[in-house]
Amino acid sequence: MNNYFAGKTALIVDSNRADLGALRDIFGQFGLASVATAPSANMGSSYLQAQTFDFCIVAHELGRGEKSGLQVVQEALQGGYCPRGTIFVLLVTPAQALQCAGIVDYPPDLCLTKPLNRSKAQGRLEKLVQLKGVLASVDSLLEQGQWVAAQRQYALLEQRYPALRGLLGRLQGQMHLHCRAFAQARDLFAGLGDQRWAPVGLGRALYGLGDYEGARRCLDTEKVPLLPEASLPLARSLRIQGQRPAALALLRKAVIQAPAMSPLQAELGSLLGQAGDWELAVGAYREAVRHCRFSSLQCVEYYCALVRALLSQIDAKGGARSVAAEKEAVQTLEHLVRDFQDDPATTVRARLLSVEVYRAGGNGPMADQAARDALRRFEALELGEQALLLDFLVDALGGGCMAQEASHARRNIRSQFVHLGWGRCYLEALQAFRKGDFALAYGQFCAADELCPGNPSLVLNLVHSGLEWGRKAPSQWLPLVRRCNEGLTEMHFGALGGRQQARYHSLWQRLERYYSDMRAGGSEPGVVVLDQD
């Protein structure tokens, strides 16, 4: 009877110690080789990163204000530190089970309700072990990154096991979304409307295709649970349609339901920052940093955004509020350096931010000391890393004791862009823009962004050139809007420097007008200045 569990291991995560003991007793009777337990989300995640388990059983509720069991599962799967063959079981209430049924990406394999029925749980786990055996060939291909071969294998399995159509459809949909094959994802999810997760997948696919109104219709219904994978594209669809207050209200509701979900908090912080409400943005970014640390969602931009938001509260008068904000900013930068200690470019960025923090607080000597240290570390970086930090360097050191050196470093590194693959595209784009060839400029900025994603100055120039081209090629408006919207929404507004934030504001307003006018058949006014330095 226990052949399915012989030699296998399990991890149980539950903050209720009484339940934890009872669960260990239940699963210990299944004939498992070993059963480990963890009383918190962080300990459970640490276990999963340190060793491999065949089964991971996690309670959805892991304490007020803490990560949910669903987050533990999704971070483990998204982070790739668990084999795809691991079976994840989430212990839920009936309402939570309905919510989980709407997940497309990284869902648990099984939801069981408390109190656990031993025989029912064992029977369903045995079936899951068999199912994982059927999917083993596909899982192996996916772990090797062989996406095309995995798609072919899915098709073969669907022919062989027609009863698995729903499960295989969701897995294929995940792959289409991951590979940005949004048209294929749209067609697949549209044909699986009987599945509870299909509207979420369809809405995400439509958002990726630039059909923001269609995405809203799919995602903004009572049938779709307020999950991060649904909330983010829905909020972004509302925003591009000029409904920022509705987007903010949606994100506020989403973080109430999932306060420990870092991407939601960071998105909320970004929208609040764009609205000028930096005090509330501080709280959102603070939660984003708190819950992303030591997880697969850990992100440099969250730390930098929190520090920049705190800068709005720091002044040279030395009031209690300013002192507290400066202390938190310095502490956040210390955490940033420690959490990304193997990345020297992040250390440089932290030192540059510390210059701004000390200067805002009126501590000139500390600001000068940090500036000299930042420049010394910057000069030790490789050319590609220096190029990505140029704007941050000039913003932080401009007007200080190292302003001349920073300006010289910028000119020197700009002259070496030709030695970088993306840099050559960037220079060709600037030259084309100056000549008024906006189509070529836009194409070259896109090529540079493909080679070096996440460069704020590059993305802002990409959006500007795209909008200029759009004025002369109205037939291209939809792919232009889609690409420009993607570039701006993927940027972390709060982490940008002051000059970049101003450009972002101007370009976003222009993109929003362009989208509205093109849908209505109008024209697109307005001009902003390209960053050609």
Side-chain angles (χ1 to χ4, degrees):
M1 180 178 66
N2 293 331
N3 289 342
Y4 291 111
F5 305 101
K8 298 186 182 298
T9 59
L11 170 67
I12 303 173
V13 185
D14 197 327
S15 60
N16 186 314
R17 292 185 180 272
D19 287 351
L20 190 63
L23 289 168
R24 177 167 186 152
D25 291 340
I26 290 173
F27 285 95
Q29 298 172 33
F30 289 1
L32 293 160
S34 66
V35 179
T37 58
S40 69
N42 288 338
M43 185 178 292
S45 296
S46 298
Y47 258 123
L48 291 170
Q49 292 181 56
Q51 62 189 93
T52 300
F53 295 92
D54 298 292
F55 299 93
C56 180
I57 301 94
V58 191
H60 192 287
E61 297 293 341
L62 293 174
R64 185 178 178 82
E66 300 299 325
K67 291 179 183 178
S68 68
L70 178 60
Q71 285 177 257
V72 173
V73 172
Q74 292 186 318
E75 287 180 11
L77 293 169
Q78 185 175 355
Y81 47 79
C82 284
R84 292 183 64 90
T86 300
I87 291 176
F88 285 93
V89 180
L90 195 64
L91 305 178
V92 295
T93 64
Q96 292 166 345
L98 281 176
Q99 184 184 49
C100 292
I103 299 172
V104 175
D105 275 343
Y106 312 115
D109 296 294
L110 176 64
C111 287
L112 295 174
T113 55
K114 286 186 175 182
L116 211 60
N117 181 300
R118 179 186 174 281
S119 60
K120 182 179 178 181
Q122 182 170 337
R124 296 188 68 179
L125 284 174
E126 288 175 352
K127 290 180 180 179
L128 264 179
V129 173
Q130 297 177 63
L131 179 60
K132 286 289 186 177
V134 171
L135 299 175
S137 59
V138 181
D139 288 338
S140 177
L141 292 170
L142 290 175
E143 288 177 342
Q144 298 171 48
Q146 299 184 32
W147 300 96
V148 176
Q151 285 281 20
R152 289 197 297 265
Q153 188 64 23
Y154 272 132
L156 291 173
L157 289 176
E158 192 168 4
Q159 293 176 7
R160 189 178 305 170
Y161 304 101
L164 298 181
R165 175 175 174 267
L167 172 64
L168 294 173
R170 176 158 59 179
L171 294 173
Q172 285 180 294
Q174 290 174 15
M175 291 179 59
H176 287 320
L177 292 171
H178 178 85
C179 296
R180 303 180 61 78
F182 296 120
Q184 292 95 316
R186 174 199 59 199
D187 296 342
L188 186 147
F189 287 120
L192 293 167
D194 56 328
Q195 303 292 332
R196 189 173 178 83
W197 39 262
V200 176
L202 180 57
R204 290 176 57 192
L206 292 173
Y207 176 83
L209 290 168
D211 184 357
Y212 305 119
E213 184 59 36
R216 279 186 60 189
R217 286 196 300 268
C218 286
L219 299 173
D220 195 10
T221 71
E222 294 181 357
K223 294 181 180 179
V224 174
L226 197 62
L227 296 165
E229 65 178 295
S231 300
L232 288 179
L234 177 54
R236 291 172 178 179
S237 295
L238 290 166
R239 182 184 172 216
I240 188 66
Q241 293 182 311
Q243 299 186 43
R244 181 176 292 179
L248 271 170
L250 173 71
L251 288 171
R252 286 192 174 104
K253 183 178 177 181
V255 298
I256 289 173
Q257 292 194 14
M261 190 64 75
S262 295
L264 285 179
Q265 294 282 8
E267 187 86 0
L268 177 59
S270 180
L271 280 190
L272 289 168
Q274 291 167 49
D277 195 344
W278 287 108
E279 186 162 355
L280 288 179
V282 165
Y285 283 129
R286 183 184 290 132
E287 291 301 298
V289 171
R290 175 191 168 202
H291 294 292
C292 81
R293 295 188 72 194
F294 314 118
S295 78
S296 61
L297 301 178
Q298 190 165 274
C299 178
V300 171
E301 305 300 318
Y302 297 172
Y303 295 71
C304 295
L306 173 57
V307 173
R308 288 205 173 277
L310 286 166
L311 278 171
S312 66
Q313 301 178 5
I314 301 174
D315 56 50
K317 297 179 181 179
R321 183 169 179 262
S322 174
V323 171
E326 182 175 348
K327 180 180 179 181
E328 183 178 359
V330 171
Q331 185 179 57
T332 300
L333 292 173
E334 290 173 350
H335 290 163
L336 174 60
V337 172
R338 186 161 55 247
D339 295 348
F340 295 87
Q341 57 185 337
D342 296 327
D343 183 5
T346 296
T347 299
V348 171
R349 193 167 172 189
R351 294 302 290 159
L352 290 172
L353 271 171
S354 69
V355 175
E356 298 188 56
V357 170
Y358 290 130
R359 185 181 297 152
N363 193 336
M366 287 293 289
D368 291 344
Q369 180 181 337
R372 285 188 285 268
D373 182 56
L375 186 60
R376 176 181 61 81
R377 293 175 182 273
F378 176 85
E379 291 171 342
L381 296 176
E382 296 180 357
L383 175 61
E385 294 173 319
Q386 291 177 329
L388 294 176
L389 293 174
L390 270 182
D391 285 341
F392 296 116
L393 180 79
V394 175
D395 284 348
L397 303 190
C401 68
M402 306 301 290
Q404 186 174 352
E405 290 84 348
S407 180
H408 174 74
R410 187 179 192 183
R411 288 193 300 271
N412 179 50
I413 292 166
R414 289 277 190 183
S415 69
Q416 299 181 62
F417 267 27
V418 69
H419 301 301
L420 300 170
W422 70 266
R424 288 191 292 273
C425 295
Y426 186 88
L427 292 174
E428 290 176 17
L430 288 178
Q431 186 176 17
F433 190 94
R434 294 185 185 110
K435 294 179 178 178
D437 190 345
F438 301 124
L440 178 58
Y442 173 74
Q444 289 300 100
F445 278 131
C446 287
D449 187 54
E450 290 292 326
L451 294 170
C452 181
N455 183 333
S457 179
L458 195 164
V459 172
L460 292 172
N461 285 345
L462 181 159
V463 173
H464 184 190
S465 61
L467 289 170
E468 290 295 335
W469 182 35
R471 299 171 70 187
K472 298 186 175 182
S475 63
Q476 298 295 317
W477 77 271
L478 182 56
L480 280 171
V481 167
R482 183 172 66 240
R483 185 65 182 84
C484 293
N485 177 57
E486 177 185 309
L488 292 178
T489 54
E490 292 297 327
M491 292 174 70
H492 295 278
F493 177 82
L496 300 177
R499 183 167 58 91
Q500 290 179 334
Q501 286 183 357
R503 287 198 69 211
Y504 186 107
H505 266 302
S506 179
L507 287 168
W508 178 262
Q509 290 171 2
R510 189 175 173 194
L511 175 63
E512 192 177 296
R513 289 197 304 269
Y514 178 74
Y515 174 71
S516 175
D517 290 343
M518 289 300 100
R519 289 186 70 204
S523 60
E524 189 273 328
V527 176
V528 293
V529 179
L530 184 73
D531 183 1
Q532 303 183 47
D533 295 336

